[in-house]
Amino acid sequence: MSMPLLPATPENINHAAARLRAGDVVSFPTETVYGLGANATNGEAVAKIFAAKTRPKINPLITHVPDAESAHRHALFTPTAEKLAAAFWPGPLTLVLPRKSESPVADLVTAGLETIALRVPRHPVAQALLRACGLPLAAPSANRSGEPSPTDATHVAESLGDEILVLDGGAAPMGLESTIIGFDGDVPVLLRLGAIAREDIEIITGRLADAEREPERPRAPGRMFRHYAPGKPVALNVTAPQKSDAFLSFGPAPQGAGHVLPLSESARLEEAASNLFRMLRLADKTNAARIAVAPIPSHGLGEAINDRLRRAANTT
Ligand code: TXA
Ligand code: MG
């Protein structure tokens, strides 16, 4: 049966909530990227996510809840975790915390780990859906494993096919996945760069330990897999694009490229973040021989943008 993209009206949100309660998967917008959600307490429903994404089952999922109070039912919060939740929830922050034994979340969601990843999204459609279904929702990004995350409802249908019900809430405003913080005792550890810049987290925590630079720190299992990879070769820090390039520009575009895809003409990192995955998809659809990307400054959201670009170029 073929599913249309459903505009995220109150009626369609209620319909999607009923489907989630019945054990189906539904894609919905968040402020970061589109998620592919299922009832986190129903292992069979969660298994449908792994099947749709062709995702390795050892890679755990984020559990989405409507507020911090709900999150406390699933995990033990450290003092620093409390501060981060107060500062950034609802919003694009995921906290990985010790799981409470009474949490009803299925083991498949946490891949059998003793920790659980929790996020309170602030997108109004995600909020309305969580409240309408009254369930914690396990939701990875709604793409096949190895593809860039979807920032538009149409990307979800392109990536996962038209069997999946998609609530269309327009373009995801931030365009980069949530920042993930784990804990070593109460010491916060950056597990994934994302839509909240490191500097903004460090205002609350002080200097953050970095899992990828300090190999003895706990890691996010998903960081090991090939990710964000377009089909064409990707070249980074290109200042003189060639005629055969699809060029992702930052600031005024130089002459020479066959196709120019502006990440941000005014050189704003927030705008570049919101355009990144869409431009990678568009570049991949051109007849260019390779995707070339302008240098992106490495401060603020630029650090996360460069992380995703290195993965797209497969140089990490
Ligand atoms: O913005 C986002 O975070 C989006 C939206 C839909 O919420 N979701 C998302 O999910 O990016 P996903 O599955 O694509 O990435 C989740 C990451 C994976 O790298 C996974 O390994 C890690 O979170 N993760 C989940 N549970 C974990 C845990 N208990 N310990 C460490 N890492 C965990
Ligand atoms: Mg993902």
Side-chain angles (χ1 to χ4, degrees):
M1 185 176 49
S2 158
M3 300 281 179
L5 305 183
L6 293 182
T9 60
E11 297 73 36
N12 287 336
I13 289 171
N14 283 335
H15 171 65
R19 297 286 298 270
L20 287 165
R21 280 194 299 268
D24 283 336
V25 295
V26 168
S27 176
F28 61 95
T30 81
E31 67 275 24
T32 58
V33 301
Y34 273 69
L36 182 63
N39 176 358
T41 67
N42 176 341
E44 274 178 50
V46 174
K48 293 181 189 171
I49 295 177
F50 287 90
K53 279 183 64 89
T54 58
R55 177 177 175 118
K57 287 203 180 55
I58 47 170
N59 191 8
L61 305 175
I62 297 172
T63 298
H64 296 66
V65 290
D67 48 38
E69 195 190 322
S70 312
H72 281 80
R73 277 187 228 135
H74 302 285
L76 288 162
F77 278 61
T78 69
T80 302
E82 297 284 7
K83 281 192 214 159
L84 286 169
F88 295 111
W89 278 353
L93 172 71
T94 296
L95 296 175
V96 174
L97 292 163
R99 180 184 171 164
K100 280 187 177 167
S101 54
E102 65 265 35
S103 165
V105 165
D107 286 334
L108 188 52
V109 174
T110 54
L113 297 171
E114 284 170 10
T115 52
I116 182 168
L118 289 162
R119 164 155 134 74
V120 177
R122 75 163 167 248
H123 193 290
V125 175
Q127 275 284 330
L129 184 65
L130 284 164
R131 289 176 196 281
C133 69
L135 294 166
L137 295 179
S141 51
N143 52 289
R144 263 175 210 282
S145 282
E147 289 179 0
S149 292
T151 57
D152 235 313
T154 52
H155 300 164
V156 179
E158 266 172 42
S159 182
L160 298 180
D162 56 10
E163 308 278 293
I164 303 278
L165 190 157
V166 186
L167 279 178
D168 185 352
M174 308 189 92
L176 277 183
E177 302 86 347
S178 61
T179 299
I180 306 183
I181 306 285
F183 294 86
D184 201 349
D186 190 38
V187 178
V189 180
L190 181 60
L191 297 181
R192 178 175 76 181
L193 289 157
I196 303 176
R198 173 201 294 272
E199 293 90 328
D200 292 331
I201 305 267
E202 288 181 341
I203 291 171
I204 310 288
T205 60
R207 198 170 131 30
L208 270 177
D210 194 327
E212 305 211 339
R213 292 190 198 151
E214 298 175 34
E216 73 280 8
R217 298 284 185 188
R219 291 168 149 244
R223 308 295 284 164
M224 303 170 315
F225 301 107
R226 186 169 147 80
H227 223 179
Y228 315 111
K232 295 185 200 296
V234 178
L236 305 182
N237 298 311
V238 174
T239 48
Q242 299 161 12
K243 190 103 190 57
S244 55
D245 285 341
F247 185 60
L248 271 56
S249 62
F250 184 76
Q255 303 291 303
H259 306 263
V260 175
L261 298 154
L263 289 172
S264 173
E265 278 171 58
S266 53
R268 286 194 311 112
L269 289 166
E270 289 74 16
E271 184 178 33
S274 72
N275 285 326
L276 179 66
F277 292 143
R278 186 162 54 88
M279 293 305 182
L280 280 173
R281 283 172 185 270
L282 288 174
D284 218 18
K285 284 186 192 155
T286 66
N287 59 6
R290 73 169 185 173
I291 300 171
V293 189
I296 311 286
S298 60
H299 62 266
L301 287 184
E303 194 184 6
I305 294 171
N306 281 309
D307 168 80
R308 302 305 191 269
L309 284 170
R310 281 193 300 273
R311 286 166 196 279
N314 216 0
T315 55
T316 47

